[in-house]
Amino acid sequence: DVLLALAHTRGLAGNPKQELNFLNKLRFRPDLDNDPETGEKIWRRWTELSLADGDLPAVKAQLEDYLTNHPRANWARLTISEVCLRSGDPSEARSALRDGIAYDNDGALRIRLGDICAQQGFVDLARGYYRDALPLTSERKQVEEKLRTLKSANLDDPEEL
């Protein structure tokens, strides 16, 4: 946490590039294996700064590698999905989320899959993901509202979704 605070101080000093460079070095320290919570914080902050810097391909590639050692890191899957959507590849975005379904204990991946499917007009798929998320999520009311919206939407017009 001390190294993370030091990196953040560099960013607060008006030099986010310097913070990013420092975090880049920290991400691969072997001693982070002994402190996974701090390691995740470092990775999340690196991701946030790299996305702000516009380096979408690097973020996607690095997070895919991160997932090989941290398959339960659903925040990384959600981020990869968003990168794919920004890059215009909703199919790849859905795939990134589906790959983590086995670790989706809070329903977040299923909800995001439902959102993406609904936006693309895949209403039946969206409903299925939302229904699967209901027993897992603490956002039950929001998911129920999404299901009601799908039920009342004009299914011939994906823009209405």
Side-chain angles (χ1 to χ4, degrees):
D1 277 344
V2 172
L3 292 173
L4 183 60
L6 178 61
H8 189 63
T9 303
R10 291 179 179 193
L12 291 176
N15 197 340
K17 285 277 194 201
Q18 196 174 24
E19 180 183 3
L20 184 60
N21 288 338
F22 192 70
L23 289 169
N24 206 26
K25 293 174 189 170
L26 288 179
R27 289 183 306 138
F28 298 106
R29 288 180 57 128
D31 57 331
L32 284 180
D33 291 339
N34 300 329
D35 187 0
E37 188 176 317
T38 299
E40 183 177 315
K41 288 178 186 176
I42 288 169
W43 271 90
R44 282 179 181 251
R45 182 66 180 152
W46 173 85
T47 299
E48 179 184 333
L49 291 172
S50 294
L51 287 173
D53 201 34
D55 198 356
L56 301 181
V59 170
K60 182 177 182 271
Q62 293 289 314
L63 289 179
E64 287 171 342
D65 285 347
Y66 178 79
L67 283 169
T68 59
N69 292 322
H70 306 90
R72 296 180 186 277
N74 287 338
W75 68 268
R77 293 181 194 288
L78 289 162
T79 303
I80 291 169
S81 174
E82 293 308 311
V83 166
C84 292
L85 288 173
R86 284 192 205 177
S87 302
D89 194 349
S91 176
E92 185 71 22
R94 290 191 321 272
S95 179
L97 296 170
R98 278 193 312 269
D99 288 348
I101 286 288
Y103 308 110
D104 187 26
N105 298 328
D106 64 359
L109 299 182
R110 288 173 176 88
I111 293 168
R112 191 63 189 125
L113 274 162
D115 292 345
I116 294 169
C117 288
Q119 290 166 357
Q120 291 187 280
F122 303 141
V123 176
D124 288 336
L125 283 174
R127 278 191 195 116
Y129 286 122
Y130 290 146
R131 285 184 186 128
D132 289 348
L134 278 172
L136 304 172
T137 186
S138 61
E139 300 173 6
R140 189 171 175 85
K141 288 184 181 184
Q142 293 91 329
V143 175
E144 288 170 344
E145 180 58 33
K146 290 173 189 255
L147 281 165
R148 277 191 293 279
T149 301
L150 283 178
K151 189 174 184 179
S152 66
N154 180 352
L155 301 183
D156 294 330
D157 185 5
E159 293 298 316
E160 240 185 81
L161 302 175

